Amino acid sequence: MIITKTPLRVSFFGGGSDIPQYYQNNKGLVLSTTIDRPIYIAVNGTQTPHTKVMYSEIEVVDNSKYLKHDRVREVLQYYDIENHIEIASFSDIPTKGTGLGSSSTFTVGLLKAVHELLGINQNNYELAELASHIEIDRCKQPIGKQDQYAAAFGGFNAIAFEGTDAAVIPINITTDVASQLNDNIICFNTGITRQASSVLEKQVEGLKDVVNIDNTSCMVDMAEDAVRFLLKGRLNDFGSLLGDSWNIKKKLSDNISNPTIDEMYSKAMKAGALGGKILGAGGGGYLLMYVPPKSHTRVIKALSNYDIFDFNFTNQGSVVEMNK
C-alpha cells in the first residue's frame, strides 16, 4: 500500500490571474501558502479485477473508465490503468467547497501515489503541470493552476504565470514574521459550500471584458506589493491590502460574494479587523480576516455564530508517507 500526504492551501493575493484566459496574454501572480491540513491518498494494488474508489461515495467498477469521480477516472485512464487497484482518500476536515484548493490537492496526491506505484519519477513542476492537465484539459474544469503548484511544492510562495511558463518563487520570510502572520489570521466557516467551477465560469466569461482584465491586473500588482510587505515585516499593511484586493475581486463577478459574506466581513471590520477575503474562488467556504492581537476578542465575539478554522503554515508539499 502507498499513502501520500498533500497539503491544502491558503491563497492571499492574485487569485484569478492563474486562469489560462488571463495569463496567456498577461502576467499572472499568486501569493499563497500551504497549511497543516492535508489530504491523504491511499493506493493499493489488488488481485481482484476491479477498480474500487472510496471518498464521500464508494465506487466499484470493472474498468476505471466507468468511474463517476472524474479526477480518479482521468488519472487512471491517462496511465492505462483499468483495474486491479483500490484508492481511498482521507481528510480531517470537509474539503468540498471550502476554498482551500482541495480538488487540486486530491489530484496532486493521487498522481504522487500512482507515480510511486508505477515507479515514475517527476519533479514538482512536472507533477503540477500534469495535475493541471488532468483537471483543466481532461476533466474540462474552468479553473486555474495555482492550487496544483501550491500542493506540489508546499511553503510560502509567489507563483508566476505568463504565456506557457510557470515559476515558483519561495518567499523567505523570517520565522517570527510567519508566526505573527499566522497568529493574526482568523478564519471563519461561512457555512456555505459551493463548487469553485460554478463561480469561476463567470470569472472566465468576464475576462472577455477589458475592465475585468484591468481589475485582475490590479490584483496582480497588489500581490507584488504584498510580497514586499511580507519581506519587510509590514504585516498590518499586508492585512489592509487583503481588504483592498477583496473589494476589487468582488467586481469580477456577482457570485463572488453574497449578503451573508458581506455581513460577516462588515462585522469583523467594525470589530477591529484590518482586511480579509473569502478563500478560493468565492461564494462561500472560509472567510479569512487579518486581525491585530488587540482586536482578536472583539472580532471573535462579533462572529460568534460561526465556527473558527484553525491551521498553521507548513513548508511541506506532496510527499509519499508510506510504501509497503
Side-chain angles (χ1 to χ4, degrees), residues 241-262:
L241 194 62
L242 280 171
D244 296 338
S245 181
W246 170 242
N247 287 329
I248 292 176
K249 182 171 182 175
K250 288 192 294 182
K251 297 177 182 179
L252 299 179
S253 172
D254 59 8
N255 63 353
I256 287 175
S257 191
N258 56 51
T260 297
I261 294 171
D262 290 341

Side-chain angles (χ1 to χ4, degrees), residues 77-261:
Q77 287 288 293
Y78 182 85
Y79 285 111
D80 295 321
I81 301 172
E82 295 182 351
N83 45 42
H84 292 286
I85 193 168
E86 296 179 342
I87 297 168
S89 66
F90 309 91
S91 179
D92 64 350
I93 62 168
T95 54
K96 188 176 181 180
T98 58
L100 298 170
S102 58
S103 293
S104 298
T105 294
F106 179 99
T107 305
V108 169
L110 176 59
L111 282 168
K112 190 84 170 178
V114 170
H115 291 166
E116 186 73 8
L117 181 70
L118 299 178
I120 295 172
N121 292 316
Q122 280 196 328
N123 63 36
N124 287 334
Y125 277 102
E126 292 167 332
L127 177 60
E129 276 299 312
L130 180 54
S132 300
H133 169 68
I134 294 292
E135 295 194 283
I136 297 171
D137 301 322
R138 295 181 68 106
C139 295
K140 307 299 182 184
Q141 293 295 307
I143 60 175
K145 295 171 72 172
Q146 64 157 311
D147 297 347
Q148 298 88 341
Y149 275 86
F153 279 82
F156 226 117
N157 297 302
I159 310 170
F161 302 96
E162 191 167 11
T164 58
D165 298 327
V168 176
I169 306 128
I171 306 302
N172 296 314
I173 56 177
T174 66
T175 302
D176 286 344
V177 169
S179 179
Q180 288 178 44
L181 178 60
N182 211 151
D183 290 344
N184 290 355
I185 287 172
I186 306 177
C187 269
F188 298 92
N189 188 348
T190 66
I192 305 168
T193 58
R194 82 290 176 272
Q195 287 290 338
S197 57
S198 65
V199 180
L200 286 169
E201 281 176 357
K202 282 197 172 185
Q203 287 183 243
V204 170
E205 183 67 23
L207 287 173
K208 296 177 182 178
D209 186 335
V210 67
V211 173
N212 282 343
I213 292 174
D214 289 344
N215 283 334
T216 303
S217 296
C218 185
M219 291 193 294
V220 168
D221 292 339
M222 289 182 173
E224 293 176 343
D225 291 338
V227 171
R228 287 192 286 270
F229 288 155
L230 279 181
L231 293 175
K232 294 180 180 179
R234 293 168 56 181
L235 293 184
N236 285 351
D237 290 332
F238 179 93
S240 296
L241 194 62
L242 280 171
D244 296 338
S245 181
W246 170 242
N247 287 329
I248 292 176
K249 182 171 182 175
K250 288 192 294 182
K251 297 177 182 179
L252 299 179
S253 172
D254 59 8
N255 63 353
I256 287 175
S257 191
N258 56 51
T260 297
I261 294 171

